[in-house]
Amino acid sequence: MAGLFSKKKASCALCKKEITHTHKPKRSWKVEGSLCADCYLDLLEKNFEDDPEDRCAVCSAEPGSFNLWRPKKGWGVKGFLCKSCFEEREREDDDLRNSCCQCGSSTGIFPRRAKEEWGMKGFLCRQCWKNAQSRQP
Ligand SMILES: [Zn+2]
Ligand SMILES: [Zn+2]
Ligand SMILES: [Zn+2]
């Protein structure tokens, strides 16, 4: 019975070449079946621009989509981050979190992140957050 399976040969969905090593196309490529290495690389290159989800939005590293992290709300980052960029942001965040970016006083137990439209980076103490919010139209 085992022989039955080994006889089955795969062929590339694009060039129809017989392939021993199949490459799975990415879902976004809308290709049915398997690809040979040539066609796979070809498509990979062509789709590179259209696939920002596979790249770190900060350093453009391509650690693979399983190693990309979704940025936290408020970081103002579109797309995904590689682990090191994510950790760097998080560290930065921790530093900022401790003191108010406006008056420098302690932000207390519940730091409030400045809203993006306020044009401030970091966190605010309760009083400054209130002030900033009341300045909004
Ligand atoms: Zn092919
Ligand atoms: Zn990165
Ligand atoms: Zn303050």
Side-chain angles (χ1 to χ4, degrees):
M1 276 310 265
L4 261 177
F5 292 101
S6 58
K7 259 184 213 145
K8 191 174 172 281
K9 285 226 170 77
S11 59
C12 171
L14 289 186
C15 68
K16 311 295 177 206
K17 204 165 68 182
E18 262 184 16
I19 37 179
T20 40
H21 277 289
T22 59
H23 294 262
K24 239 175 116 111
K26 297 197 182 204
R27 222 181 306 150
S28 59
W29 297 353
K30 299 190 172 48
V31 175
E32 289 282 329
S34 309
L35 294 174
C36 69
D38 289 342
C39 293
Y40 181 85
L41 288 176
D42 213 42
L43 277 178
L44 195 67
E45 216 165 280
K46 273 190 200 140
N47 286 279
F48 184 70
E49 301 294 334
D50 305 323
D51 210 0
E53 299 206 339
D54 272 2
R55 252 177 304 161
C56 170
V58 173
C59 69
S60 299
E62 294 178 77
S65 44
F66 290 112
N67 296 309
L68 285 171
W69 302 58
R70 191 181 289 278
K72 290 193 181 170
K73 246 201 216 163
W75 286 2
V77 176
K78 290 215 161 55
F80 292 83
L81 295 175
C82 71
K83 195 163 185 278
S84 59
C85 289
F86 184 92
E87 283 173 348
E88 201 178 301
R89 286 274 171 160
E90 221 174 25
R91 240 188 330 260
E92 216 174 79
D93 234 35
D94 282 343
D95 289 346
L96 290 171
R97 201 185 291 269
N98 292 328
S99 58
C100 172
C101 71
Q102 292 299 292
C103 69
S105 69
S106 162
T107 45
I109 331 167
F110 297 114
R112 284 142 224 263
R113 187 191 289 278
K115 291 190 181 172
E116 227 173 292
E117 60 263 34
W118 295 351
M120 302 170 193
K121 191 170 153 47
F123 293 81
L124 297 173
C125 69
R126 205 167 150 210
Q127 193 53 46
C128 293
W129 203 89
K130 262 190 185 165
N131 291 346
Q133 202 172 37
S134 64
R135 276 201 298 272
Q136 297 302 303

